[in-house]
């Protein structure tokens, strides 16, 4: 009887649809935000500070609080990008999620964005605001967890990983760095210039739906 109930639940999930038409949403060129402000399974609005995941099937953004594959203990953060995710509409069943090893460049960028968030969470503060690199490192230490998956604390404290990542970002024109190399500021705080989409450094080919058989029981991968 229990197996039958579970099968019925899976069948109900596979028939699930969104309460809005995804195809009529009007997106910005980067596919970060839509003008109707409708996201996720319920069509709820979203602001920049909300932790969200982008489904690689439909490209819609889903609030972390409505995604069942994320345990609260994971501490998923705003602007976190080291994951792969397939919503239950696209998977026709359970959500698919893979936590990826993060890069120091992505970790430092996530920290910098969070430190620059406006009080209302709708934007980043003026790009002329300077942030101490030590403050960026301290923020990362205080948020050590899923964001820093695949990294070691010794890299942060002994190998100057954050400094090196921000120096690289400066060479790419993404941040400004002070003459003494102790502070950084973003070149632009415009939403179109931000790095919001998930990383794709996965063993599974980009653009391919996460296969259920490959996901089950694989080390370092989560499924709920």
């Amino acid at each position: 009887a229990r197996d039958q109930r579970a099968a019925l639940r899976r069948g109900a999930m596979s028939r699930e649809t969104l309460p809005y038409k995804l195809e009529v949403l009007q997106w910005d060129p980067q596919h970060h935000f839509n003008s109707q402000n409708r996201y996720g399974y319920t069509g709820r609005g979203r602001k920049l500070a909300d932790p969200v995941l982008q489904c690689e099937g439909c490209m819609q953004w889903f609030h972390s609080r409505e995604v069942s594959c994320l345990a609260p203990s994971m501490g998923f953060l705003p602007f976190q990008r080291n994951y792969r995710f397939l919503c239950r509409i696209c998977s026709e069943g359970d959500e698919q999620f893979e936590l990826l090893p993060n890069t120091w460049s992505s970790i430092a960028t996530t920290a910098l964005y969070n430190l620059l968030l406006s009080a209302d969470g709708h934007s980043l503060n003026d790009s002329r605001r300077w942030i101490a690199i030590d403050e960026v490192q301290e923020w990362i230490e205080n948020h050590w967890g899923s964001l820093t998956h695949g990294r070691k604390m010794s890299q942060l404290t002994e190998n100057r990983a954050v400094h090196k990542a921000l120096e690289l970002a400066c060479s790419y024109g993404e941040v400004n760095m002070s003459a003494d190399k102790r502070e950084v500021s973003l070149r632009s705080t415009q939403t179109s210039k931000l790095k919001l989409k998930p990383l794709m450094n996965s063993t599974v080919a980009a653009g391919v739906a996460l296969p259920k058989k490959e996901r089950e029981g694989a080390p370092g991968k989560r499924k709920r």
Side-chain angles (χ1 to χ4, degrees), residues 51-67:
V52 290
L53 299 93
Q54 187 180 39
C55 173
E56 65 180 60
C58 61
M59 303 300 289
Q60 177 60 295
W61 296 85
F62 292 79
H63 297 276
S64 63
R65 60 180 176 269
E66 67 178 359
V67 171

Side-chain angles (χ1 to χ4, degrees), residues 57-170:
C58 61
M59 303 300 289
Q60 177 60 295
W61 296 85
F62 292 79
H63 297 276
S64 63
R65 60 180 176 269
E66 67 178 359
V67 171
S68 61
C69 62
L70 286 183
S73 59
M74 183 177 291
F76 195 83
L77 299 165
F79 311 113
Q80 187 167 335
R81 303 169 57 222
N82 60 318
Y83 67 89
R84 292 191 69 186
F85 171 69
L86 200 67
C87 74
R88 58 180 183 252
I89 308 296
C90 291
S91 70
E92 298 183 343
D94 294 334
E95 295 164 342
Q96 304 291 318
F97 177 78
E98 178 184 359
L99 185 65
L100 303 177
N102 213 347
T103 66
W104 279 113
S105 293
S106 175
I107 294 169
T109 299
T110 296
L112 193 57
Y113 288 174
N114 276 277
L115 288 167
L116 287 170
L117 267 174
S118 61
D120 63 9
H122 285 282
S123 63
L124 300 188
N125 287 309
D126 197 298
S127 60
R128 290 172 293 181
R129 179 186 169 190
W130 290 87
I131 301 290
I133 295 179
D134 286 347
E135 187 178 353
V136 177
Q137 179 167 319
E138 182 181 5
W139 188 94
I140 295 170
E141 291 178 9
N142 292 335
H143 296 83
W144 196 267
S146 64
L147 174 68
T148 53
H149 179 64
R151 300 296 146 194
K152 297 180 179 178
M153 183 69 78
S154 59
Q155 295 174 315
L156 180 68
T157 57
E158 299 172 16
N159 295 342
R160 301 179 69 250
V162 172
H163 286 75
K164 293 175 182 177
L166 291 174
E167 286 175 353
L168 184 62
C170 182

Side-chain angles (χ1 to χ4, degrees), residues 163-201:
H163 286 75
K164 293 175 182 177
L166 291 174
E167 286 175 353
L168 184 62
C170 182
S171 71
Y172 288 158
E174 297 170 0
V175 303
N176 300 304
M177 184 169 284
S178 61
D180 60 6
K181 296 188 176 182
R182 293 184 178 180
E183 296 180 316
V184 292
S185 65
L186 280 181
R187 288 281 180 91
S188 174
T189 57
Q190 296 179 18
T191 305
S192 61
K193 301 293 185 180
L194 303 183
K195 292 183 175 181
L196 303 182
K197 292 184 177 180
L199 300 176
M200 294 301 291
N201 298 330

Side-chain angles (χ1 to χ4, degrees), residues 19-37:
Y20 55 91
K21 293 184 178 180
L22 192 62
E23 63 273 13
V24 303
L25 299 181
Q26 297 176 329
W27 292 89
D28 58 24
Q30 294 74 31
H31 207 90
H32 289 166
F33 292 90
N34 63 67
S35 58
Q36 292 90 344
N37 197 26

